[in-house]
Amino acid sequence: MPWFGDWLGGGGSGSAVVGGPFSAGDIIRQARTRHPAFSDRAIPVPVALSLISTVQADLHQAAQQRDTFYVVGTYMHLLTTFNPAVPLPAHAGVSGGRVLLTTDADGTGELYVTSRPARMHAPRHWVAVLINQQLTLVGDADYWSNVREVDVYYAPVATALASEADALLLPASAWSAVIAALAAQMGARCAALGISGVDVAGLTNQANTAISVWLDTVGRRGKAIPLRLTGGVR
Amino acid sequence: MSTPRDIVTQALGLSLKNRPTTAGVENELRLVVNRALRQHWAAGCRINPRYFAAFVQVPSVTTTWSAGFWARPEDAEIVFQINNPASAAVKVVPADQAAAFQGYPAVQRWDGGYLGFNGPAGPSPTDALTLYYARRPAEAAAVDTPLDALWPAAYDGLLVMEVAIYLARKDGRADEQDALLAERDAWFTLYKNFLEHETLGEERLFHPDRFTEISEKPLAGGTPT
């Protein structure tokens, strides 16, 4: 699925394309049906796009905090010429990565993204630290000489949605949460317009419930217990 | 369909103090009927613009504005929809917010018509736009010319009362006016209710698109209750 990025299937160099399974227009049309006041006239599409952009950014960041792998893109950094600085695309978080060794026969290795103080204690060879939104490979050119490519798994940022055709970053499981959250924002706007009969508190409660359920799904509570052979490096 | 003569005849019968009319008076009262028709028709357009609907294709004029200008039809009371040649809706937006609507066909209100932005989504300066609007009534040119066919004849009583009020006021018969005004308001309520309920069971996703409160009241003949 496109919202995973293309790293599961391997791929060439460059950034993975990341997009969710539904468009901004899908969500806006669904949210409008939550109240008869949520018409085009009360909430023009440019306003709805602005609201849904904020809703998505908030939900995405909250989900990223609960599971750094919940939505992942891949940035492929070639080491044909050694360059320790990996200029990542705008990202909400970095999850880790892998290194591709010089020949296919040599296989791949795990890339560990650590904090700067912990980098010397990382359990494997290939370590990078994130400094000032830029990933820096630890070691010199000799150290990385048998690595031809570094693939970094990162969570992209949720950028502003500019048209109804734009795809959301959020995965399919966020359907109800993002609709309810947008409906709550629409309700607040209609109340500000002086339209009576909009239960803003009720819409907000529904949104909070849907968001809470979804974030639980993203985090540990909604999942099967993951099998780990070793501890993480966080 | 009634004529102004029918309306005037009924109005004269509402008071013993009215006298038979002359040709000059008939013509004067024809103008009163036309004025009352325009007034209540306009009020009706604000309640149910689609009841009085018409449409016309308006060519663009680019002599003054290179982005295109589309004139409002002369008989338009309320324009409620504009389509481009591809039958897509053209939004009417304020000039200072046009940038937010660049992805949509859009125009702004200007000089009794509409001015284009020549934005990426159009309309292009040479497009002809189709305007859907609530029209104004055709006025009766003579006392025996039928009223506009779209006027709901069941509510002729409203026009009759306006003529009777005019005669009473002109004669200084203040004692009759209150009763006539009350009856006029009752007729207006019936007319308003008709326009609000002429078709039932319309399914809507959103609130009705009303231009004003539904308690729109007539303007002439004194202050309605």
Side-chain angles (χ1 to χ4, degrees):
Chain A
M1 293 295 290
W3 63 271
F4 279 114
D6 60 4
W7 65 274
L8 286 175
S13 60
S15 296
V17 176
V18 177
F22 35 69
S23 69
D26 294 335
I27 300 298
I28 291 170
R29 281 186 288 278
Q30 287 290 327
R32 287 195 193 285
T33 64
R34 296 299 175 95
H35 195 285
F38 294 173
S39 65
D40 260 348
R41 299 254 161 74
I43 308 156
V45 170
V47 174
L49 287 170
S50 171
L51 294 177
I52 195 175
S53 296
T54 310
V55 164
Q56 169 170 247
D58 290 348
L59 288 178
H60 175 58
Q61 203 65 50
Q64 165 65 19
Q65 289 170 4
R66 285 158 177 78
D67 179 0
T68 54
F69 283 95
Y70 104 99
V71 56
V72 176
T74 308
Y75 182 73
M76 299 168 192
H77 182 65
L78 298 178
L79 286 183
T80 313
T81 302
F82 179 70
N83 179 2
V86 182
L88 292 176
H91 55 274
V94 178
S95 317
R98 65 176 180 174
V99 298
L100 274 62
L101 300 179
T102 310
T103 65
D104 286 343
D106 293 331
T108 62
E110 193 75 13
L111 174 73
Y112 291 92
V113 178
T114 73
S115 63
R116 186 171 173 79
R119 73 183 191 279
M120 301 310 293
H121 306 289
R124 296 287 177 88
H125 293 298
W126 314 114
V127 178
V129 293
L130 191 63
I131 300 172
N132 198 23
Q133 303 300 300
Q134 182 167 284
L135 203 60
T136 303
L137 305 179
V138 176
D140 57 17
D142 284 346
Y143 192 84
W144 290 84
S145 60
N146 62 339
V147 173
R148 62 185 163 95
E149 180 180 319
V150 175
D151 293 350
V152 181
Y153 308 148
Y154 70 98
V157 293
T159 53
L161 298 158
S163 87
E164 290 178 273
D166 284 359
L168 266 71
L169 189 62
L170 299 173
S173 59
W175 176 256
S176 296
V178 68
I179 291 169
L182 179 59
Q185 297 282 328
M186 289 178 165
R189 177 180 163 89
C190 285
L193 287 171
I195 297 172
S196 59
V198 182
D199 179 9
V200 180
L203 288 165
T204 304
N205 282 339
Q206 287 179 5
N208 288 339
T209 301
I211 291 169
S212 171
V213 167
W214 181 63
L215 289 178
D216 282 354
T217 305
V218 172
R220 294 280 179 250
R221 279 173 283 178
K223 282 184 169 179
I225 298 171
L227 178 64
R228 284 182 183 277
L229 296 180
T230 61
V233 294
R234 275 178 266 175
Chain B
M1 184 56 65
S2 304
T3 65
R5 187 188 300 282
D6 297 332
I7 302 295
V8 169
T9 302
Q10 292 177 64
L12 291 174
L14 290 175
S15 172
L16 289 171
K17 294 173 182 169
N18 285 327
R19 285 168 295 181
T21 56
T22 62
V25 171
E26 281 178 349
N27 196 49
E28 175 189 348
L29 295 181
R30 172 183 68 85
L31 297 176
V32 174
V33 171
N34 277 340
R35 197 162 63 234
L37 179 67
R38 275 207 312 268
Q39 170 193 327
H40 290 296
W41 185 294
C45 287
R46 295 161 77 91
I47 296 167
N48 185 347
R50 286 176 184 271
Y51 184 85
F52 301 97
F55 70 94
V56 67
Q57 199 174 51
V58 180
S60 170
V61 177
T62 55
T63 47
T64 304
W65 301 99
S66 60
F69 174 78
W70 293 267
R72 182 187 175 91
E74 283 186 9
D75 64 339
E77 178 70 25
I78 297 171
V79 176
F80 54 76
Q81 186 176 335
I82 302 175
N83 281 7
N84 68 12
S87 297
V90 176
K91 293 180 184 293
V92 182
V93 304
D96 63 344
Q97 294 166 29
F101 292 92
Q102 274 196 344
Y104 303 90
V107 295
Q108 61 178 304
R109 290 184 291 156
W110 184 265
D111 194 18
Y114 304 94
L115 199 58
F117 296 110
N118 202 13
S124 88
T126 54
D127 281 346
L129 300 183
T130 304
L131 270 59
Y132 297 84
Y133 58 98
R135 67 172 175 85
R136 293 185 176 128
E139 297 188 3
V143 290
D144 292 317
T145 306
L147 299 179
D148 192 299
L150 202 51
W151 170 254
Y155 304 97
D156 279 354
L158 183 54
L159 305 180
V160 170
M161 298 314 300
E162 291 289 7
V163 174
I165 291 166
Y166 173 84
L167 291 169
R169 192 168 54 190
K170 192 173 181 185
D171 290 351
R173 288 179 263 130
D175 55 328
E176 291 183 5
Q177 278 196 46
D178 286 347
L180 293 171
L181 285 169
E183 194 168 344
R184 187 276 313 271
D185 288 349
W187 273 107
F188 184 81
T189 300
L190 289 173
Y191 168 66
K192 175 173 74 77
N193 288 348
F194 163 72
L195 290 175
E196 287 175 348
H197 301 97
E198 48 89 11
T199 301
L200 293 182
E202 184 182 33
E203 295 190 15
R204 288 180 171 274
L205 292 178
F206 302 114
H207 274 315
D209 180 26
R210 290 201 187 286
F211 293 84
T212 63
E213 292 296 309
I214 58 172
S215 56
E216 182 71 21
K217 290 293 179 70
L219 302 174
T223 304
T225 53

